[in-house]
Amino acid sequence: MIEIIDNYASEDLYGQLLETSLAYSKVHWIGIQAEPENALHDLVHEVYNSNVEQEGISGATAWYNIRPKNPKMHNDIDSYSTQKGISYRPEVLPERTFLYYLKSPESGGQLAIHTRVSFVRAGQAGQDIIWDDSEVDTISAIVNRLISMPADVAHRVLPYTGNRVSIGMIFWVDLPKIYPEADPDNNTVYDRIWEIEDSEQIALYV
């Protein structure tokens, strides 16, 4: 089920998020027992306390979506858990992905959530999957909107103009084995493994 909450954060927290300076190219780990150190951590704790029902959570990964060069269809569990084609999914999977919108684009930029593969070009590995419109739900990127959806659903960002900024959050019991052990008492940052691999693949054809 997809859930949408508008006017989610307080005016004070929203203003702090706009002014917070962080490593936007990294994945931020926020331990659920660790003391918040900035507005991003405060947002994660707020979402956890108000919207997360899964038990045994150690912490959350949070990341900024600024301007993807080529938004692709993906699901967040595989993005985090796959390295060089090998899956390192943890035994207990996260149940939900949360998206919070800081800035809205001038046009476009909807979140497209795909529910089922309808057709794949035979014999063309790596080509885009073709989706029927009836199998796609779109949600507008509205400032201070929080979206919650199953973490394993396929989704992507539709083309847009302007400045679109969102924060993604996933709450984990255990992290995939390609990351350090989930530490509920620590805040830290990790590299975006999926972006490193995307860059390596692009380099092969440039």
Side-chain angles (χ1 to χ4, degrees), residues 46-163:
E46 177 69 25
V47 171
Y48 173 74
N49 289 326
S50 63
N51 291 86
V52 177
E53 298 180 355
Q54 187 174 7
E55 297 182 354
I57 296 297
S58 297
T61 49
W63 67 101
Y64 284 80
N65 298 302
I66 305 294
R67 168 65 86 169
K69 294 180 180 178
N70 180 26
K72 296 184 294 185
M73 185 268 294
H74 66 283
N75 77 66
D76 291 327
I77 292 178
D78 284 340
S79 292
Y80 268 99
S81 304
T82 305
Q83 185 176 50
K84 298 188 183 302
I86 300 174
S87 176
Y88 295 90
R89 285 188 170 206
E91 184 174 342
V92 180
L93 296 178
E95 294 178 352
R96 313 287 293 178
T97 285
F98 295 88
L99 293 172
Y100 175 78
Y101 292 102
L102 269 178
K103 296 183 179 181
S104 298
E106 295 174 8
S107 62
Q110 295 90 345
L111 175 68
I113 300 176
H114 304 274
T115 56
R116 185 177 68 84
V117 176
S118 58
F119 176 74
V120 181
R121 294 184 180 92
Q124 297 187 34
Q127 295 295 316
D128 289 341
I129 294 173
I130 298 174
W131 301 83
D132 187 276
D133 287 345
S134 65
E135 299 166 351
V136 180
D137 293 320
T138 60
I139 302 173
S140 295
I142 294 176
V143 166
N144 206 13
R145 166 174 281 182
L146 180 73
I147 297 172
S148 170
M149 63 184 180
D152 60 352
V153 300
H155 60 279
R156 65 187 176 99
V157 176
L158 298 182
Y160 64 92
T161 59
N163 191 7

Side-chain angles (χ1 to χ4, degrees), residues 161-188:
T161 59
N163 191 7
R164 180 190 192 277
V165 181
S166 66
I167 298 172
M169 292 163 277
I170 300 179
F171 294 83
W172 304 82
V173 175
D174 295 307
L175 281 168
K177 300 303 180 184
I178 48 181
Y179 296 94
E181 184 176 350
D183 184 353
D185 299 311
N186 188 39
N187 300 318
T188 189

